[in-house]
Amino acid sequence: MILVGAAADIPVGESVRVQGSVAIAVFNADGTFYAIDDTCTHQDASLSDGWLEDCAVECPLHAACFDLRTGKPSGPPARKPVRTHEVVVDGGQVFVNETVEVGADAGADVAGVLGEGVR
């Protein structure tokens, strides 16, 4: 697992970038944490620099949008999903468990996220 940092240090509506086998963007969407690969699949742009709305991030380069729960793009110009990663909040600390393969949802039934006190 990758330590992201204290949950309190990632304000609602903000993101941070951490390094796994690739860069990973961790978002705080209304108090729920999500993690996806940081690089847009359309062109090399950092999604952590994008605009967060509800459970989607818009790429700052060409406005491709990705669902933070599934990694799937909502439409062109991106066609390929980004990987999603499991997020665990334990003792006020945020951790990312990096997913191995692209397209793996990391438990889309529960949005791929475990929140503080959820499980």
Side-chain angles (χ1 to χ4, degrees):
M1 286 211 168
I2 302 164
L3 173 63
V4 177
D9 291 340
I10 308 169
V12 170
E14 297 294 322
S15 63
V16 295
R17 182 177 165 158
V18 296
Q19 193 62 46
S21 63
V22 298
I24 296 172
V26 180
F27 297 88
N28 181 343
D30 292 326
T32 302
F33 292 93
Y34 299 92
I36 61 173
D37 280 357
D38 187 49
T39 304
C40 179
T41 57
H42 169 248
Q43 211 162 28
D44 291 340
S46 174
L47 294 174
S48 62
D49 291 335
W51 297 275
L52 180 63
E53 187 171 332
D54 298 321
C55 281
V57 63
E58 181 180 323
C59 176
L61 194 55
H62 293 115
C65 289
F66 295 89
D67 188 309
L68 297 177
R69 298 164 294 195
T70 65
K72 294 179 181 174
S74 60
R79 297 180 189 272
K80 291 188 214 175
V82 290
R83 288 187 309 167
T84 59
H85 307 280
E86 178 185 29
V87 177
V88 177
V89 180
D90 186 25
Q93 297 294 311
V94 180
F95 298 88
V96 171
N97 187 17
E98 188 172 6
T99 302
V100 176
E101 56 185 83
V102 172
D105 287 332
D109 301 359
V110 293
V113 176
L114 297 176
E116 183 86 8
V118 172
R119 282 197 207 170

